[in-house]
Amino acid sequence: MSIEKLQSFLAPNYENFPKGRTIGVVVLRTTQSETIFRTEGTGEPMCRESVQAGVQNTESILRLVMTKRKQVAPERRRGREFLRNHELLYTAPKSDSPCSLNTNAPCEMCVDCFLYGFAAGGEGAQKSRIWTEDAFSVLPSTELIGDRTINAVFETGTMRDEKGNASTALKTSEYIKPGVHFLDIATLKDVTADELRYALGNLLLTTRYGAVSSRVGRMENQILGVFGGISELPSSLELVQGVYDRLIAENVALEHPLNTNALIEATQSVINTWTNKRGISMQLSSEELDALIEDIDRHWSLDEQETFLKRLDESYQPYRQIKQQSTKKGRKNK
């Protein structure tokens, strides 16, 4: 039922030209283990920015930042795992190799390329229809960062090898503590119902983020609100500042670990006022949001996953045929 309620803001089919249909999603990301948001191995400090604490509270504080790239890259890779499993990644036309991220060789035909976009392909580029922005921690970074000393002893149980050489694997590294909350806004432009299921499925199924994510970086994503309209929601910074003011007004202790239920209630209070803002038409109720997540879980279940992904993949076929015909015509004219 919730998908039907969003119908006015969903595209009936994939289209090449934008028409201003916008789905906004409010996401709470909570670290479940030590997490590192920086370029792996370079030793620079954790990503953080000095911003105003709240809308009313004008004090300047340092907040941790989960950058756009740190969000979307793991989520794309998660979706591509399933596409690869069902053989729905195609061969890149120029390199004649399988479609792969960060290789300048996108296939330009798979679900991931059509939805998340590509550049430097064989014949041009496709703009992403999944818009992300930096997510900010609710609390100041001084509350949320710890230091961990890492060493790696040799099999002798010491830091020196058999020749007496000292191990270089000793360093101190910053990490984000477990239980840290980031508030985030994702925007989906002119997506179909199945593209919405695919993008939100990637978000809900991705559990590892940041550097050395094979060992740390466990995170839980929770969708707190879904909106339809003709414009973007307020930014994630505006959201986190509004929530910060609300927590102060409700006398919630602003210390780590922050009470998650109190944070969710404060966030709901802030976003429930957004339907009065320009360009935002409707918000799914809590029951409708639960129904939407059940719908996504069902489409990604083992029983329906293959049918769902192949149906989404086939929805791009008319555009692929037009593109192939255009390519052949271009070659004849040369």
Side-chain angles (χ1 to χ4, degrees), residues 223-258:
I223 296 175
L224 300 184
V226 173
F227 293 79
I230 57 170
S231 68
E232 288 187 79
L233 299 177
S235 70
S236 60
L237 180 58
E238 290 173 275
L239 172 59
V240 82
Q241 289 171 331
V243 170
Y244 189 89
D245 286 342
R246 184 77 61 163
L247 290 171
I248 289 179
E250 294 173 0
N251 294 318
V252 176
L254 293 177
E255 59 186 17
H256 182 75
L258 184 62

PDB file of all heavy atoms in Angstrom, residues 223-258:
ATOM      1  N   ILE A 223      15.665   3.391   8.656  1.00  0.00           N
ATOM      2  CA  ILE A 223      14.924   4.435   7.948  1.00  0.00           C
ATOM      3  C   ILE A 223      13.870   5.013   8.892  1.00  0.00           C
ATOM      4  O   ILE A 223      13.009   4.286   9.394  1.00  0.00           O
ATOM      5  CB  ILE A 223      14.256   3.863   6.675  1.00  0.00           C
ATOM      6  CG1 ILE A 223      15.330   3.386   5.692  1.00  0.00           C
ATOM      7  CG2 ILE A 223      13.383   4.919   6.009  1.00  0.00           C
ATOM      8  CD1 ILE A 223      14.786   2.704   4.462  1.00  0.00           C
ATOM      9  N   LEU A 224      13.956   6.322   9.144  1.00  0.00           N
ATOM     10  CA  LEU A 224      13.036   6.969  10.083  1.00  0.00           C
ATOM     11  C   LEU A 224      11.920   7.728   9.376  1.00  0.00           C
ATOM     12  O   LEU A 224      10.927   8.087  10.007  1.00  0.00           O
ATOM     13  CB  LEU A 224      13.799   7.942  10.995  1.00  0.00           C
ATOM     14  CG  LEU A 224      14.907   7.343  11.860  1.00  0.00           C
ATOM     15  CD1 LEU A 224      15.491   8.411  12.785  1.00  0.00           C
ATOM     16  CD2 LEU A 224      14.394   6.168  12.681  1.00  0.00           C
ATOM     17  N   GLY A 225      12.076   7.988   8.090  1.00  0.00           N
ATOM     18  CA  GLY A 225      11.036   8.722   7.390  1.00  0.00           C
ATOM     19  C   GLY A 225      11.209   8.664   5.886  1.00  0.00           C
ATOM     20  O   GLY A 225      12.340   8.625   5.393  1.00  0.00           O
ATOM     21  N   VAL A 226      10.092   8.606   5.157  1.00  0.00           N
ATOM     22  CA  VAL A 226      10.110   8.652   3.692  1.00  0.00           C
ATOM     23  C   VAL A 226       9.116   9.717   3.239  1.00  0.00           C
ATOM     24  O   VAL A 226       7.957   9.725   3.685  1.00  0.00           O
ATOM     25  CB  VAL A 226       9.751   7.279   3.081  1.00  0.00           C
ATOM     26  CG1 VAL A 226       9.609   7.389   1.564  1.00  0.00           C
ATOM     27  CG2 VAL A 226      10.798   6.234   3.439  1.00  0.00           C
ATOM     28  N   PHE A 227       9.574  10.618   2.375  1.00  0.00           N
ATOM     29  CA  PHE A 227       8.756  11.739   1.916  1.00  0.00           C
ATOM     30  C   PHE A 227       8.652  11.725   0.383  1.00  0.00           C
ATOM     31  O   PHE A 227       9.552  11.233  -0.305  1.00  0.00           O
ATOM     32  CB  PHE A 227       9.400  13.075   2.328  1.00  0.00           C
ATOM     33  CG  PHE A 227       9.425  13.322   3.816  1.00  0.00           C
ATOM     34  CD1 PHE A 227      10.383  12.705   4.612  1.00  0.00           C
ATOM     35  CD2 PHE A 227       8.507  14.172   4.406  1.00  0.00           C
ATOM     36  CE1 PHE A 227      10.409  12.935   5.988  1.00  0.00           C
ATOM     37  CE2 PHE A 227       8.530  14.406   5.773  1.00  0.00           C
ATOM     38  CZ  PHE A 227       9.483  13.783   6.562  1.00  0.00           C
ATOM     39  N   GLY A 228       7.583  12.300  -0.131  1.00  0.00           N
ATOM     40  CA  GLY A 228       7.436  12.506  -1.569  1.00  0.00           C
ATOM     41  C   GLY A 228       7.223  13.973  -1.847  1.00  0.00           C
ATOM     42  O   GLY A 228       6.579  14.682  -1.048  1.00  0.00           O
ATOM     43  N   GLY A 229       7.751  14.473  -2.971  1.00  0.00           N
ATOM     44  CA  GLY A 229       7.578  15.881  -3.293  1.00  0.00           C
ATOM     45  C   GLY A 229       8.249  16.243  -4.597  1.00  0.00           C
ATOM     46  O   GLY A 229       8.579  15.378  -5.420  1.00  0.00           O
ATOM     47  N   ILE A 230       8.450  17.534  -4.789  1.00  0.00           N
ATOM     48  CA  ILE A 230       9.103  18.019  -6.006  1.00  0.00           C
ATOM     49  C   ILE A 230      10.417  18.709  -5.675  1.00  0.00           C
ATOM     50  O   ILE A 230      11.012  19.374  -6.521  1.00  0.00           O
ATOM     51  CB  ILE A 230       8.193  18.988  -6.786  1.00  0.00           C
ATOM     52  CG1 ILE A 230       7.784  20.178  -5.896  1.00  0.00           C
ATOM     53  CG2 ILE A 230       6.958  18.265  -7.309  1.00  0.00           C
ATOM     54  CD1 ILE A 230       7.082  21.284  -6.651  1.00  0.00           C
ATOM     55  N   SER A 231      10.863  18.593  -4.426  1.00  0.00           N
ATOM     56  CA  SER A 231      12.136  19.202  -4.044  1.00  0.00           C
ATOM     57  C   SER A 231      12.793  18.349  -2.962  1.00  0.00           C
ATOM     58  O   SER A 231      12.159  17.461  -2.384  1.00  0.00           O
ATOM     59  CB  SER A 231      11.927  20.632  -3.532  1.00  0.00           C
ATOM     60  OG  SER A 231      11.230  20.601  -2.309  1.00  0.00           O
ATOM     61  N   GLU A 232      14.072  18.648  -2.690  1.00  0.00           N
ATOM     62  CA  GLU A 232      14.797  17.896  -1.676  1.00  0.00           C
ATOM     63  C   GLU A 232      14.311  18.261  -0.276  1.00  0.00           C
ATOM     64  O   GLU A 232      13.779  19.354  -0.049  1.00  0.00           O
ATOM     65  CB  GLU A 232      16.291  18.218  -1.764  1.00  0.00           C
ATOM     66  CG  GLU A 232      16.980  17.636  -2.967  1.00  0.00           C
ATOM     67  CD  GLU A 232      18.485  17.855  -2.876  1.00  0.00           C
ATOM     68  OE1 GLU A 232      19.145  17.105  -2.143  1.00  0.00           O
ATOM     69  OE2 GLU A 232      18.979  18.784  -3.532  1.00  0.00           O
ATOM     70  N   LEU A 233      14.538  17.352   0.659  1.00  0.00           N
ATOM     71  CA  LEU A 233      14.282  17.633   2.068  1.00  0.00           C
ATOM     72  C   LEU A 233      15.338  18.622   2.572  1.00  0.00           C
ATOM     73  O   LEU A 233      16.349  18.855   1.904  1.00  0.00           O
ATOM     74  CB  LEU A 233      14.381  16.338   2.875  1.00  0.00           C
ATOM     75  CG  LEU A 233      13.397  15.220   2.527  1.00  0.00           C
ATOM     76  CD1 LEU A 233      13.683  13.989   3.375  1.00  0.00           C
ATOM     77  CD2 LEU A 233      11.966  15.681   2.725  1.00  0.00           C
ATOM     78  N   PRO A 234      15.136  19.215   3.763  1.00  0.00           N
ATOM     79  CA  PRO A 234      16.229  19.991   4.372  1.00  0.00           C
ATOM     80  C   PRO A 234      17.486  19.132   4.474  1.00  0.00           C
ATOM     81  O   PRO A 234      17.421  17.898   4.476  1.00  0.00           O
ATOM     82  CB  PRO A 234      15.664  20.341   5.755  1.00  0.00           C
ATOM     83  CG  PRO A 234      14.185  20.371   5.553  1.00  0.00           C
ATOM     84  CD  PRO A 234      13.899  19.279   4.556  1.00  0.00           C
ATOM     85  N   SER A 235      18.632  19.770   4.588  1.00  0.00           N
ATOM     86  CA  SER A 235      19.906  19.033   4.575  1.00  0.00           C
ATOM     87  C   SER A 235      20.097  18.229   5.858  1.00  0.00           C
ATOM     88  O   SER A 235      19.434  18.471   6.882  1.00  0.00           O
ATOM     89  CB  SER A 235      21.063  20.027   4.424  1.00  0.00           C
ATOM     90  OG  SER A 235      21.185  20.787   5.611  1.00  0.00           O
ATOM     91  N   SER A 236      21.035  17.290   5.808  1.00  0.00           N
ATOM     92  CA  SER A 236      21.318  16.486   6.997  1.00  0.00           C
ATOM     93  C   SER A 236      21.884  17.364   8.120  1.00  0.00           C
ATOM     94  O   SER A 236      21.661  17.089   9.300  1.00  0.00           O
ATOM     95  CB  SER A 236      22.286  15.355   6.650  1.00  0.00           C
ATOM     96  OG  SER A 236      23.499  15.876   6.171  1.00  0.00           O
ATOM     97  N   LEU A 237      22.595  18.449   7.755  1.00  0.00           N
ATOM     98  CA  LEU A 237      23.108  19.349   8.798  1.00  0.00           C
ATOM     99  C   LEU A 237      21.959  20.080   9.486  1.00  0.00           C
ATOM    100  O   LEU A 237      21.931  20.199  10.714  1.00  0.00           O
ATOM    101  CB  LEU A 237      24.091  20.355   8.192  1.00  0.00           C
ATOM    102  CG  LEU A 237      24.706  21.358   9.181  1.00  0.00           C
ATOM    103  CD1 LEU A 237      25.434  20.632  10.307  1.00  0.00           C
ATOM    104  CD2 LEU A 237      25.652  22.313   8.464  1.00  0.00           C
ATOM    105  N   GLU A 238      20.982  20.554   8.694  1.00  0.00           N
ATOM    106  CA  GLU A 238      19.809  21.203   9.295  1.00  0.00           C
ATOM    107  C   GLU A 238      19.063  20.231  10.205  1.00  0.00           C
ATOM    108  O   GLU A 238      18.574  20.602  11.272  1.00  0.00           O
ATOM    109  CB  GLU A 238      18.865  21.712   8.202  1.00  0.00           C
ATOM    110  CG  GLU A 238      19.395  22.886   7.410  1.00  0.00           C
ATOM    111  CD  GLU A 238      18.472  23.221   6.250  1.00  0.00           C
ATOM    112  OE1 GLU A 238      18.620  22.598   5.190  1.00  0.00           O
ATOM    113  OE2 GLU A 238      17.591  24.078   6.416  1.00  0.00           O
ATOM    114  N   LEU A 239      18.986  18.979   9.771  1.00  0.00           N
ATOM    115  CA  LEU A 239      18.297  17.975  10.575  1.00  0.00           C
ATOM    116  C   LEU A 239      19.013  17.763  11.907  1.00  0.00           C
ATOM    117  O   LEU A 239      18.390  17.784  12.972  1.00  0.00           O
ATOM    118  CB  LEU A 239      18.220  16.653   9.797  1.00  0.00           C
ATOM    119  CG  LEU A 239      17.705  15.451  10.591  1.00  0.00           C
ATOM    120  CD1 LEU A 239      16.289  15.705  11.131  1.00  0.00           C
ATOM    121  CD2 LEU A 239      17.721  14.192   9.729  1.00  0.00           C
ATOM    122  N   VAL A 240      20.325  17.559  11.850  1.00  0.00           N
ATOM    123  CA  VAL A 240      21.047  17.249  13.078  1.00  0.00           C
ATOM    124  C   VAL A 240      21.051  18.454  14.024  1.00  0.00           C
ATOM    125  O   VAL A 240      21.000  18.300  15.262  1.00  0.00           O
ATOM    126  CB  VAL A 240      22.478  16.762  12.733  1.00  0.00           C
ATOM    127  CG1 VAL A 240      23.423  17.909  12.486  1.00  0.00           C
ATOM    128  CG2 VAL A 240      23.024  15.853  13.803  1.00  0.00           C
ATOM    129  N   GLN A 241      21.050  19.659  13.472  1.00  0.00           N
ATOM    130  CA  GLN A 241      20.985  20.859  14.326  1.00  0.00           C
ATOM    131  C   GLN A 241      19.608  20.991  14.982  1.00  0.00           C
ATOM    132  O   GLN A 241      19.503  21.337  16.170  1.00  0.00           O
ATOM    133  CB  GLN A 241      21.306  22.102  13.496  1.00  0.00           C
ATOM    134  CG  GLN A 241      22.779  22.187  13.103  1.00  0.00           C
ATOM    135  CD  GLN A 241      23.069  23.302  12.107  1.00  0.00           C
ATOM    136  OE1 GLN A 241      22.210  23.672  11.314  1.00  0.00           O
ATOM    137  NE2 GLN A 241      24.280  23.826  12.146  1.00  0.00           N
ATOM    138  N   GLY A 242      18.547  20.698  14.236  1.00  0.00           N
ATOM    139  CA  GLY A 242      17.201  20.740  14.808  1.00  0.00           C
ATOM    140  C   GLY A 242      17.027  19.707  15.908  1.00  0.00           C
ATOM    141  O   GLY A 242      16.409  19.976  16.951  1.00  0.00           O
ATOM    142  N   VAL A 243      17.592  18.510  15.690  1.00  0.00           N
ATOM    143  CA  VAL A 243      17.494  17.442  16.694  1.00  0.00           C
ATOM    144  C   VAL A 243      18.293  17.819  17.940  1.00  0.00           C
ATOM    145  O   VAL A 243      17.848  17.562  19.071  1.00  0.00           O
ATOM    146  CB  VAL A 243      18.001  16.113  16.086  1.00  0.00           C
ATOM    147  CG1 VAL A 243      18.160  15.045  17.158  1.00  0.00           C
ATOM    148  CG2 VAL A 243      17.037  15.636  15.002  1.00  0.00           C
ATOM    149  N   TYR A 244      19.445  18.437  17.737  1.00  0.00           N
ATOM    150  CA  TYR A 244      20.281  18.859  18.879  1.00  0.00           C
ATOM    151  C   TYR A 244      19.490  19.835  19.762  1.00  0.00           C
ATOM    152  O   TYR A 244      19.462  19.691  20.994  1.00  0.00           O
ATOM    153  CB  TYR A 244      21.552  19.522  18.341  1.00  0.00           C
ATOM    154  CG  TYR A 244      22.608  19.816  19.379  1.00  0.00           C
ATOM    155  CD1 TYR A 244      23.569  18.869  19.705  1.00  0.00           C
ATOM    156  CD2 TYR A 244      22.647  21.050  20.029  1.00  0.00           C
ATOM    157  CE1 TYR A 244      24.550  19.138  20.655  1.00  0.00           C
ATOM    158  CE2 TYR A 244      23.628  21.325  20.981  1.00  0.00           C
ATOM    159  CZ  TYR A 244      24.582  20.373  21.278  1.00  0.00           C
ATOM    160  OH  TYR A 244      25.545  20.645  22.216  1.00  0.00           O
ATOM    161  N   ASP A 245      18.829  20.810  19.142  1.00  0.00           N
ATOM    162  CA  ASP A 245      18.008  21.765  19.911  1.00  0.00           C
ATOM    163  C   ASP A 245      16.898  21.046  20.655  1.00  0.00           C
ATOM    164  O   ASP A 245      16.601  21.354  21.810  1.00  0.00           O
ATOM    165  CB  ASP A 245      17.392  22.805  18.963  1.00  0.00           C
ATOM    166  CG  ASP A 245      18.405  23.822  18.472  1.00  0.00           C
ATOM    167  OD1 ASP A 245      19.471  23.948  19.097  1.00  0.00           O
ATOM    168  OD2 ASP A 245      18.131  24.462  17.447  1.00  0.00           O
ATOM    169  N   ARG A 246      16.267  20.079  19.968  1.00  0.00           N
ATOM    170  CA  ARG A 246      15.142  19.353  20.580  1.00  0.00           C
ATOM    171  C   ARG A 246      15.607  18.541  21.787  1.00  0.00           C
ATOM    172  O   ARG A 246      14.938  18.487  22.813  1.00  0.00           O
ATOM    173  CB  ARG A 246      14.520  18.433  19.527  1.00  0.00           C
ATOM    174  CG  ARG A 246      13.282  17.687  19.967  1.00  0.00           C
ATOM    175  CD  ARG A 246      12.060  18.566  19.979  1.00  0.00           C
ATOM    176  NE  ARG A 246      11.773  19.083  18.648  1.00  0.00           N
ATOM    177  CZ  ARG A 246      10.612  19.608  18.290  1.00  0.00           C
ATOM    178  NH1 ARG A 246       9.649  19.699  19.167  1.00  0.00           N
ATOM    179  NH2 ARG A 246      10.421  20.086  17.073  1.00  0.00           N
ATOM    180  N   LEU A 247      16.777  17.907  21.680  1.00  0.00           N
ATOM    181  CA  LEU A 247      17.298  17.113  22.802  1.00  0.00           C
ATOM    182  C   LEU A 247      17.590  18.008  24.010  1.00  0.00           C
ATOM    183  O   LEU A 247      17.319  17.625  25.154  1.00  0.00           O
ATOM    184  CB  LEU A 247      18.586  16.386  22.361  1.00  0.00           C
ATOM    185  CG  LEU A 247      18.388  15.245  21.352  1.00  0.00           C
ATOM    186  CD1 LEU A 247      19.743  14.758  20.843  1.00  0.00           C
ATOM    187  CD2 LEU A 247      17.612  14.089  21.963  1.00  0.00           C
ATOM    188  N   ILE A 248      18.122  19.210  23.746  1.00  0.00           N
ATOM    189  CA  ILE A 248      18.372  20.147  24.847  1.00  0.00           C
ATOM    190  C   ILE A 248      17.048  20.570  25.487  1.00  0.00           C
ATOM    191  O   ILE A 248      16.915  20.599  26.723  1.00  0.00           O
ATOM    192  CB  ILE A 248      19.146  21.379  24.330  1.00  0.00           C
ATOM    193  CG1 ILE A 248      20.593  20.980  23.996  1.00  0.00           C
ATOM    194  CG2 ILE A 248      19.133  22.496  25.378  1.00  0.00           C
ATOM    195  CD1 ILE A 248      21.428  22.110  23.452  1.00  0.00           C
ATOM    196  N   ALA A 249      16.043  20.862  24.664  1.00  0.00           N
ATOM    197  CA  ALA A 249      14.744  21.291  25.185  1.00  0.00           C
ATOM    198  C   ALA A 249      14.098  20.199  26.033  1.00  0.00           C
ATOM    199  O   ALA A 249      13.351  20.499  26.980  1.00  0.00           O
ATOM    200  CB  ALA A 249      13.828  21.672  24.021  1.00  0.00           C
ATOM    201  N   GLU A 250      14.382  18.932  25.710  1.00  0.00           N
ATOM    202  CA  GLU A 250      13.786  17.820  26.450  1.00  0.00           C
ATOM    203  C   GLU A 250      14.704  17.317  27.556  1.00  0.00           C
ATOM    204  O   GLU A 250      14.468  16.246  28.132  1.00  0.00           O
ATOM    205  CB  GLU A 250      13.449  16.700  25.471  1.00  0.00           C
ATOM    206  CG  GLU A 250      12.347  17.120  24.486  1.00  0.00           C
ATOM    207  CD  GLU A 250      12.109  16.096  23.383  1.00  0.00           C
ATOM    208  OE1 GLU A 250      12.808  15.061  23.389  1.00  0.00           O
ATOM    209  OE2 GLU A 250      11.250  16.346  22.535  1.00  0.00           O
ATOM    210  N   ASN A 251      15.777  18.067  27.828  1.00  0.00           N
ATOM    211  CA  ASN A 251      16.711  17.746  28.926  1.00  0.00           C
ATOM    212  C   ASN A 251      17.325  16.351  28.800  1.00  0.00           C
ATOM    213  O   ASN A 251      17.529  15.653  29.798  1.00  0.00           O
ATOM    214  CB  ASN A 251      16.004  17.875  30.278  1.00  0.00           C
ATOM    215  CG  ASN A 251      15.606  19.310  30.568  1.00  0.00           C
ATOM    216  OD1 ASN A 251      16.380  20.236  30.305  1.00  0.00           O
ATOM    217  ND2 ASN A 251      14.407  19.498  31.084  1.00  0.00           N
ATOM    218  N   VAL A 252      17.576  15.908  27.571  1.00  0.00           N
ATOM    219  CA  VAL A 252      18.265  14.632  27.344  1.00  0.00           C
ATOM    220  C   VAL A 252      19.766  14.861  27.542  1.00  0.00           C
ATOM    221  O   VAL A 252      20.313  15.864  27.054  1.00  0.00           O
ATOM    222  CB  VAL A 252      17.995  14.103  25.922  1.00  0.00           C
ATOM    223  CG1 VAL A 252      18.793  12.822  25.666  1.00  0.00           C
ATOM    224  CG2 VAL A 252      16.512  13.860  25.722  1.00  0.00           C
ATOM    225  N   ALA A 253      20.398  13.965  28.280  1.00  0.00           N
ATOM    226  CA  ALA A 253      21.838  14.109  28.544  1.00  0.00           C
ATOM    227  C   ALA A 253      22.617  13.988  27.241  1.00  0.00           C
ATOM    228  O   ALA A 253      22.575  12.945  26.572  1.00  0.00           O
ATOM    229  CB  ALA A 253      22.286  13.042  29.530  1.00  0.00           C
ATOM    230  N   LEU A 254      23.354  15.049  26.862  1.00  0.00           N
ATOM    231  CA  LEU A 254      24.116  15.041  25.599  1.00  0.00           C
ATOM    232  C   LEU A 254      25.510  14.498  25.852  1.00  0.00           C
ATOM    233  O   LEU A 254      26.509  15.219  25.856  1.00  0.00           O
ATOM    234  CB  LEU A 254      24.170  16.452  25.017  1.00  0.00           C
ATOM    235  CG  LEU A 254      22.817  16.999  24.546  1.00  0.00           C
ATOM    236  CD1 LEU A 254      22.954  18.425  24.066  1.00  0.00           C
ATOM    237  CD2 LEU A 254      22.232  16.114  23.455  1.00  0.00           C
ATOM    238  N   GLU A 255      25.568  13.208  26.093  1.00  0.00           N
ATOM    239  CA  GLU A 255      26.832  12.536  26.344  1.00  0.00           C
ATOM    240  C   GLU A 255      26.770  11.146  25.722  1.00  0.00           C
ATOM    241  O   GLU A 255      25.688  10.577  25.514  1.00  0.00           O
ATOM    242  CB  GLU A 255      27.092  12.434  27.851  1.00  0.00           C
ATOM    243  CG  GLU A 255      25.993  11.677  28.602  1.00  0.00           C
ATOM    244  CD  GLU A 255      26.189  11.710  30.100  1.00  0.00           C
ATOM    245  OE1 GLU A 255      26.960  12.573  30.563  1.00  0.00           O
ATOM    246  OE2 GLU A 255      25.579  10.875  30.797  1.00  0.00           O
ATOM    247  N   HIS A 256      27.958  10.612  25.435  1.00  0.00           N
ATOM    248  CA  HIS A 256      28.024   9.283  24.833  1.00  0.00           C
ATOM    249  C   HIS A 256      28.030   8.207  25.925  1.00  0.00           C
ATOM    250  O   HIS A 256      28.741   8.365  26.920  1.00  0.00           O
ATOM    251  CB  HIS A 256      29.303   9.156  23.990  1.00  0.00           C
ATOM    252  CG  HIS A 256      29.427   7.837  23.283  1.00  0.00           C
ATOM    253  ND1 HIS A 256      28.684   7.530  22.181  1.00  0.00           N
ATOM    254  CD2 HIS A 256      30.179   6.744  23.567  1.00  0.00           C
ATOM    255  CE1 HIS A 256      29.011   6.312  21.783  1.00  0.00           C
ATOM    256  NE2 HIS A 256      29.903   5.814  22.618  1.00  0.00           N
ATOM    257  N   PRO A 257      27.262   7.126  25.787  1.00  0.00           N
ATOM    258  CA  PRO A 257      26.351   6.792  24.687  1.00  0.00           C
ATOM    259  C   PRO A 257      25.015   7.519  24.810  1.00  0.00           C
ATOM    260  O   PRO A 257      24.435   7.552  25.890  1.00  0.00           O
ATOM    261  CB  PRO A 257      26.169   5.284  24.833  1.00  0.00           C
ATOM    262  CG  PRO A 257      26.387   5.010  26.285  1.00  0.00           C
ATOM    263  CD  PRO A 257      27.387   6.006  26.763  1.00  0.00           C
ATOM    264  N   LEU A 258      24.555   8.075  23.687  1.00  0.00           N
ATOM    265  CA  LEU A 258      23.308   8.825  23.648  1.00  0.00           C
ATOM    266  C   LEU A 258      22.127   7.844  23.607  1.00  0.00           C
ATOM    267  O   LEU A 258      22.197   6.821  22.919  1.00  0.00           O
ATOM    268  CB  LEU A 258      23.302   9.705  22.391  1.00  0.00           C
ATOM    269  CG  LEU A 258      22.120  10.650  22.191  1.00  0.00           C
ATOM    270  CD1 LEU A 258      22.025  11.672  23.321  1.00  0.00           C
ATOM    271  CD2 LEU A 258      22.264  11.387  20.851  1.00  0.00           C
TER     272      LEU A 258
END
